[in-house]
Amino acid sequence: MQNIEVSGSGGDYITGKVSSKLALPIDLSESVEEVRLIHEDANLSNFQTSVLNLVKNDQKVLIILVFSRGPKLVKSKLPQDSFIVHKHDEANEGEACEWISGRSSKKFLIADADTVAGYEFDTVIILSGKDRKNNFASLCQRATSRLIVCFIG
């Protein structure tokens, strides 16, 4: 447990300070075991060899999309019937819940930032356009063991 003092909330209260205590969660993963950064072209031409081969032995893989052409392009690169799509505009609560609880035989869950908040998974692939590379730091926290970030374009 650490004693901290927080200040600078903005606005007229910049000089205000609040004393508090900060503790690390008991289930905190200090770090993922493996982080890979991969650069792909706009068509994901090497996705099979540069990304999917890295997860061929993983049971479940979360794919988080942070680029507009994502779902259709990614689905075309995955084996047929191996994935579930659960995005803000294509919600699939039932199948996504089955996948999260381990009751689905599908390997991949394709999601977006809006639908994965609060969940953690062993293996996570984040697909992002290079122009969005500074906008997904919190998504990296979804990975507990292996994180693969794939920059597209």
Side-chain angles (χ1 to χ4, degrees), residues 8-96:
S9 63
D12 295 332
Y13 304 104
I14 293 175
T15 59
K17 294 183 180 181
V18 175
S19 295
S20 186
K21 295 188 182 291
L22 179 68
L24 295 175
I26 58 172
D27 62 346
L28 175 70
S29 174
E30 289 294 325
S31 177
V32 295
E33 296 168 14
E34 178 182 0
V35 176
R36 299 274 182 118
L37 297 177
I38 297 170
H39 296 273
E40 272 286 344
D41 63 28
N43 296 316
L44 298 178
S45 300
N46 297 311
F47 192 70
Q48 178 65 46
T49 55
S50 64
V51 178
L52 293 183
N53 278 347
L54 296 173
V55 298
K56 65 183 174 193
N57 295 324
D58 293 72
Q59 295 291 318
K60 301 285 184 190
V61 178
L62 172 65
I63 300 175
I64 305 174
L65 305 177
V66 190
F67 73 112
S68 58
R69 291 184 53 218
K72 186 175 182 180
L73 183 59
V74 171
K75 289 191 297 188
S76 73
K77 302 296 179 177
L78 298 174
Q80 188 174 5
D81 296 323
S82 69
F83 56 86
I84 297 166
V85 177
H86 181 61
K87 303 182 335 55
H88 72 281
D89 60 348
E90 193 177 337
N92 190 347
E93 295 286 337
E95 279 192 284

Side-chain angles (χ1 to χ4, degrees), residues 61-71 74 84-93 96 99-100 108-119 121 124-128 132 135-136 138-140 142:
V61 178
L62 172 65
I63 300 175
I64 305 174
L65 305 177
V66 190
F67 73 112
S68 58
R69 291 184 53 218
V74 171
I84 297 166
V85 177
H86 181 61
K87 303 182 335 55
H88 72 281
D89 60 348
E90 193 177 337
N92 190 347
E93 295 286 337
W99 189 89
I100 291 167
F108 300 98
L109 176 62
I110 302 170
D112 58 19
D114 296 332
T115 58
V116 296
Y119 292 103
F121 304 95
V124 176
I125 299 171
I126 298 174
L127 293 159
S128 172
R132 306 276 316 269
N135 299 336
F136 62 82
S138 66
L139 296 178
C140 296
R142 303 298 129 230

Side-chain angles (χ1 to χ4, degrees), residues 93-106:
E93 295 286 337
E95 279 192 284
C97 287
E98 292 288 309
W99 189 89
I100 291 167
S101 67
R103 295 187 305 257
S104 172
S105 62
K106 310 280 185 178

